[in-house]
């Protein structure tokens, strides 16, 4: 009971900090209000941690704290001496992909044999719905070409590991989720550049072969190394299994902060509109993914899986691609926003579905 009161007190402090921030903004002191916004998110995360049903939002809220810090003090996240922090993005993505590989095995692909229909529908939905909806949103956005291309880029990326967590929480088909993520990720080096050339070619010049090689370096090689590591040392490196999720979360957080700092000026100009478009993109993914699956008569659990796989993209990979072609401050903005946002909407959707048993338990 005492602990609960303590966490409620911390939430009260968060509300007070938000009030102070709002007063400072309204009184024209927004430039000096940064510490209060950052501390608000930190206090909110600490308060949420005390309640089991809110704990899943702590990481995302801390991302917002870090992003707020980067928006107010970008100079600390652009370079350290002569070393530009954007150079860390590709190695971090490779480390995350290696971690993904260490957690994979041949069993993750069994659903291709056991349930080919669900896998095929999920993967095709992944590379049809999000790329096309991204292209439509980019076309109507009136954004500068490179920023518009970033919206298409996040749509052309595969799903990420966060979708597997949300599928589990939503009582969806976790095995199917893992398989769709794995196959979409392995197909990305070939499909993402081609889709970008076709859909984003009017916004920026796309070198398909160069982009393919960049994605191979960021995905195929690290995942292959992780699979080999898992095969040779399976069960002998438990410390790695425990460490990699933490490393992945910290890596993604650092990537988002670096992108935010690099693209701060553009975000100040178009941030709210870009946020709304990215939100629409994310929600289109959930909605169209679900009904696409139901159209092909997949059971409820599998339809939930497809919805989550389609709606939740690998923002880290999209950021790495933008960085590899030297456009992290423009093309990387939509992926940077998409990552934290999808975790919020995904958590809400997963919580909603968690309370509602699937109408049919049949697995495709």
């Amino acid at each position: 009971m005492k602990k609960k009161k303590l966490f409620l007190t911390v939430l009260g402090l968060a509300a007070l900090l938000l009030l102070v921030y709002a007063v400072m903004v309204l009184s024209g002191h927004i430039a000096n209000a940064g510490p209060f916004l950052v501390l608000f998110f930190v206090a909110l995360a600490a308060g949420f941690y005390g309640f089991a049903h809110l704990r899943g939002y702590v990481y995302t809220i801390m991302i917002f704290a870090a992003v707020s810090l980067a928006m107010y003090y970008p100079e600390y996240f652009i370079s350290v001496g002569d070393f530009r922090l954007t150079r860390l993005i590709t190695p971090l993505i490779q480390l995350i992909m290696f971690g993904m590989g260490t957690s994979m095995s041949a069993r993750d692909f069994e659903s291709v044999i056991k349930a080919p229909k669900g896998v095929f529908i999920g993967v095709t939905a992944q590379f049809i719905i999000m790329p096309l909806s991204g292209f439509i949103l980019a076309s109507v956005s009136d954004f500068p070409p490179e920023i518009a291309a970033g919206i298409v880029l996040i749509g052309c990326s595969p799903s990420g590991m966060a979708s597997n967590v949300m599928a589990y929480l939503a009582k969806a088909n976790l095995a199917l989720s893992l398989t769709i993520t794995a196959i979409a990720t392995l197909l990305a080096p070939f499909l993402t550049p081609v889709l970008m050339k076709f859909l984003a070619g009017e916004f920026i010049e796309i070198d398909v072969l160069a982009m393919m090689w960049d994605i191979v370096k960021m995905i195929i090689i690290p995942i292959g190394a992780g699979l080999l590591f898992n095969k040779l040392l399976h069960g002998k490196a438990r410390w790695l299994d425990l460490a990699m999720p933490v490393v992945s979360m910290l890596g993604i957080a650092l990537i988002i902060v670096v992108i935010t700092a690099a693209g701060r000026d553009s975000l100040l100009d178009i941030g709210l509109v870009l946020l709304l478009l990215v939100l629409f993109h994310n929600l289109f993914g959930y909605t169209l993914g679900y009904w696409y699956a139901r159209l092909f008569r997949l059971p409820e659990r599998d339809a939930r899986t497809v919805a989550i796989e389609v709606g939740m993209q690998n923002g880290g990979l999209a950021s790495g691609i933008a960085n590899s072609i030297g456009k992290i401050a423009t093309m990387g903005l939509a992926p940077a926003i998409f990552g934290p946002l999808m975790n919020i909407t995904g958590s809400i959707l997963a919580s909603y579905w968690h309370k509602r048993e699937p109408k049919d338990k049949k697995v495709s």
Side-chain angles (χ1 to χ4, degrees):
M1 191 66 181
K2 288 183 179 180
K3 285 186 177 181
K4 187 175 182 180
K5 286 184 178 179
L6 175 62
F7 286 116
L8 286 172
T9 301
V10 174
L11 289 176
L13 175 62
L16 179 61
L17 288 165
L18 182 61
L19 178 62
V20 172
Y21 177 76
V23 170
M24 292 188 71
V25 170
L26 293 174
S27 61
H29 296 88
I30 187 171
N32 300 315
F36 293 98
L37 182 62
V38 174
L39 289 173
F40 157 70
F41 284 122
V42 172
L44 186 66
F48 275 21
Y49 187 79
F51 301 90
H53 62 290
L54 296 174
R55 201 167 292 163
Y57 297 100
V58 169
Y59 173 70
T60 301
I61 294 172
M62 288 304 296
I63 291 287
F64 280 110
V67 166
S68 300
L69 198 61
M71 287 293 289
Y72 271 97
Y73 309 104
E75 62 273 16
Y76 296 110
F77 304 99
I78 292 176
S79 62
V80 177
D82 294 331
F83 182 82
R84 294 193 66 83
L85 293 179
T86 52
R87 292 170 61 184
L88 292 173
I89 291 177
T90 297
L92 284 171
I93 293 168
Q94 290 171 327
L95 183 60
I96 293 167
M97 290 297 106
F98 172 79
M100 182 178 178
T102 63
S103 65
M104 291 168 60
S105 68
R107 290 192 301 274
D108 294 321
F109 300 93
E110 288 179 357
S111 291
V112 179
I113 299 172
K114 293 181 178 179
K117 178 182 177 182
V119 175
F120 178 77
I121 290 171
V123 173
T124 55
Q126 176 78 61
F127 288 109
I128 292 175
I129 292 172
M130 290 301 273
L132 288 178
S133 57
F135 170 73
I136 293 170
L137 289 170
S139 299
V140 302
S141 70
D142 198 31
F143 285 153
E146 290 183 4
I147 294 176
I151 300 175
V152 181
L153 176 61
I154 191 65
C156 295
S157 300
S159 53
M161 291 179 289
S163 63
N164 307 145
V165 177
M166 297 306 170
Y168 171 75
L169 295 175
K171 294 183 178 178
N173 187 337
L174 181 56
L176 179 62
S177 174
L178 289 166
T179 306
I180 292 174
T181 297
I183 292 179
T185 300
L186 294 177
L187 288 174
F190 312 102
L191 293 182
T192 297
V194 173
L195 287 168
M196 282 296 292
K197 179 69 173 180
F198 181 68
L199 297 174
E202 67 179 78
F203 301 119
I204 62 169
E205 184 178 347
I206 302 293
D207 186 331
V208 173
L209 293 179
M211 187 177 288
M212 281 184 179
W213 175 235
D214 286 334
I215 301 176
V216 166
K217 288 188 293 185
M218 283 186 283
I219 287 185
I220 301 299
I221 295 175
I223 286 182
L227 283 166
L228 183 61
F229 184 93
N230 187 30
K231 183 175 180 61
L232 296 177
L233 297 174
H234 180 66
K236 299 177 182 178
R238 180 163 174 73
W239 61 270
L240 188 66
D241 296 334
L242 298 174
M244 284 312 302
V246 177
V247 171
S248 296
M249 288 191 294
L250 291 175
I252 292 169
L254 181 56
I255 289 170
I256 291 172
V257 168
V258 169
I259 295 169
T260 301
R264 175 183 180 271
D265 293 341
S266 295
L267 279 173
L268 288 176
D269 290 336
I270 60 162
L272 182 59
V273 178
L274 182 60
L275 175 67
L276 289 174
L277 283 182
V278 167
L279 177 62
F280 287 144
H281 198 186
N282 177 224
L283 297 179
F284 287 161
Y286 295 139
T287 305
L288 297 177
Y290 179 86
W291 289 110
Y292 181 87
R294 295 303 273 176
L295 177 67
F296 288 98
R297 302 185 181 278
L298 287 188
E300 174 75 12
R301 288 182 71 232
D302 291 5
R304 292 182 181 186
T305 305
V306 174
I308 292 170
E309 286 296 313
V310 173
M312 302 189 73
Q313 304 293 84
N314 192 333
L317 173 63
S319 300
I321 295 171
N323 184 59
S324 69
I325 58 178
K327 302 184 184 300
I328 192 65
T330 51
M331 199 171 167
L333 292 180
I337 293 175
F338 196 98
L341 190 65
M342 76 172 186
N343 282 305
I344 295 175
T345 59
S347 297
I348 294 171
L349 181 60
S351 297
Y352 173 81
W353 271 333
H354 182 79
K355 298 172 184 175
R356 291 161 177 78
E357 288 292 333
K359 295 177 183 178
D360 52 66
K361 296 293 186 70
K362 178 185 176 183
V363 179
S364 65

